[in-house]
Amino acid sequence: MPARRLAGMAGGPPPAVTARLRRYGALAGAGVLAVVCSGVGLPPPSDAGPSSDDPRWRPLAAEVASPVNGAFRGVAQRVQAPDIARSLQAYAQELQRAEARRGAAAKDWKLRRAPLRAPAPPEKKPKLTTEPGHIVGEGLPPVIVQVPTDEKVIFLTVDDGEEKDPALLRMLRSLDIPMSGFLSDEVARADYGYFREAQREGFAMHNHAINHRQMNTLDEAAQRAEICGQQDNMERELGHRPKLFRPPYGAYDEATLRAAADCGIEVVPLWASEAFPDRIEYGRADKKFHPGDIVLTHFRGEAEWDAAMTDMVRRLVDAATDQGFAIARLEDYL
Ligand SMILES: [Zn+2]
């Protein structure tokens, strides 16, 4: 269910690659070396569909020819310059092919233009501080609506888990756009397999409680049961206990944060804007994205939106691109 205002203002509950493309343009020598050394993720080498078990956002080093890798690490001292040059050229060609694939995918999905590619992840994750107006306390996880960064990136987060649309994954995969899910067991459990598939594709899945209750109406024990219980479900169904928890409706109190910390939660990401198929609801007065903004949307479809999840993605990506923003991977920053 949507919260229609800036969660960051809260207190109470409501009911790379322009830069990268430019770098891709400099396909010779130092330009390419800079990209190689940055550890940038490279799109998958083909549109090979969902059968691969490899995570999508592999470090670039995993993709480039080993002579180059070895040389950069100082391991293969005997590597010859022509080998490196050949590897760099092959790498540059792969980048060009990857961009061409994304351009074609953007057309297929009827985007106005190809989405901007996110810059390389930060080498050091930023130190998080709780958004002003939110609850802070010793040992409590920070509550955030944006990630501290100067990069023009936003983060796509998708809640609940009712709609399980394979086209969403196809679209994001072909455009190389990351997404983070926050799953509520009551709707996700009908088919956790869909979310396992998403996770295999590199889309991280996090905790959104079991029964989508408004946390601050529950006592602490009930909150703990909701949050820890969903940690158990996630571990059983997806093989890991998430570090991120988003309270349903963005509603929480101090007991929520205590319970979350007890359940192994390290960050409570709320959101700065919400995406729908026909609009973006900006939480900020200037009605724009800001660097590091977390964007909320939902696993929803025709029944509730009278439109598809892919329509929502199109709306969001076009708005981001218009404003010069790329969609980056939240887990690279948190
Ligand atoms: Zn929700």
Side-chain angles (χ1 to χ4, degrees):
M1 287 167 234
R4 294 182 185 265
R5 62 203 182 85
L6 179 61
M9 291 168 60
V17 164
T18 4
R20 182 81 21 80
L21 281 170
R22 270 185 248 119
R23 276 180 261 167
Y24 289 0
L27 289 176
V32 175
L33 281 171
V35 176
V36 171
C37 294
S38 72
V40 170
L42 187 72
S46 72
D47 295 322
S51 59
S52 166
D53 282 346
D54 293 339
R56 294 175 59 227
W57 284 282
R58 281 178 291 182
L60 186 59
E63 302 280 354
V64 293
S66 57
V68 176
N69 260 344
F72 290 158
R73 289 181 190 143
V75 174
Q77 300 296 332
R78 292 185 305 279
V79 166
Q80 298 298 306
D83 293 335
I84 295 177
R86 269 195 297 278
S87 295
L88 287 173
Q89 192 179 17
Y91 172 71
Q93 284 167 351
E94 178 56 27
L95 288 183
Q96 283 180 315
R97 281 194 291 271
E99 286 312 301
R101 278 196 299 273
R102 287 175 83 243
K107 276 208 184 92
D108 288 347
W109 293 106
K110 299 186 167 46
L111 299 182
R112 284 203 288 268
R113 52 188 170 275
L116 298 172
R117 191 178 281 283
E123 281 176 21
K124 238 180 83 186
K125 295 191 175 184
K127 181 172 164 39
L128 303 178
T129 51
T130 288
E131 184 74 13
H134 284 265
I135 297 170
V136 288
E138 186 70 28
L140 300 182
V143 180
I144 61 170
V145 304
Q146 68 182 130
V147 173
T149 177
D150 295 328
E151 301 276 11
K152 289 191 79 175
V153 294
I154 56 175
F155 303 97
L156 170 59
T157 64
V158 190
D159 281 11
D160 302 346
E162 180 139 30
E163 183 79 12
K164 301 163 186 75
D165 183 356
L168 171 72
L169 303 184
R170 280 203 306 276
M171 181 181 195
L172 296 176
R173 186 168 59 233
S174 66
L175 294 167
D176 203 29
I177 289 176
M179 167 268 283
S180 306
F182 288 82
L183 303 184
S184 190
D185 183 69
E186 70 170 6
V187 286
R189 70 179 160 227
D191 182 10
Y192 270 113
Y194 174 83
F195 302 103
R196 275 193 293 275
E197 164 71 21
Q199 187 173 263
R200 273 196 300 274
E201 295 283 332
F203 303 108
M205 296 292 141
H206 307 288
N207 188 328
H208 195 46
I210 293 182
N211 295 301
H212 209 272
R213 301 285 303 278
Q214 187 174 323
M215 287 290 149
N216 59 353
T217 64
L218 306 177
D219 66 25
E220 189 162 339
Q223 294 197 45
R224 187 177 283 104
E226 278 283 333
I227 301 169
C228 293
Q230 185 61 356
Q231 293 288 79
D232 296 340
N233 292 332
M234 298 289 287
E235 183 167 29
R236 185 184 66 246
E237 299 291 345
L238 290 136
H240 71 106
R241 297 179 81 78
K243 305 280 189 226
L244 309 186
F245 166 69
R246 173 176 282 160
Y249 318 104
Y252 74 95
D253 56 18
E254 191 173 330
T256 314
L257 301 183
R258 271 198 305 273
D262 286 351
C263 305
I265 296 299
E266 295 176 3
V267 185
V268 174
L270 301 183
W271 58 92
S273 301
E274 183 168 355
F276 298 86
D278 59 347
R279 67 192 186 281
I280 308 292
E281 292 192 351
Y282 295 97
R284 301 180 190 282
D286 63 5
K287 308 290 179 203
K288 288 179 180 160
F289 295 123
H290 288 228
D293 273 355
I294 297 170
V295 179
L296 165 70
T297 189
H298 294 85
F299 290 100
R300 288 190 182 152
E302 300 286 345
E304 279 188 89
W305 277 342
D306 202 22
M309 295 202 76
T310 51
D311 297 318
M312 177 277 298
V313 173
R314 182 181 307 112
R315 172 73 56 167
L316 173 65
V317 172
D318 278 341
T321 310
D322 284 350
Q323 296 176 44
F325 279 79
I327 298 175
R329 189 168 181 269
L330 185 63
E331 296 74 23
D332 287 340
Y333 288 76
L334 299 186

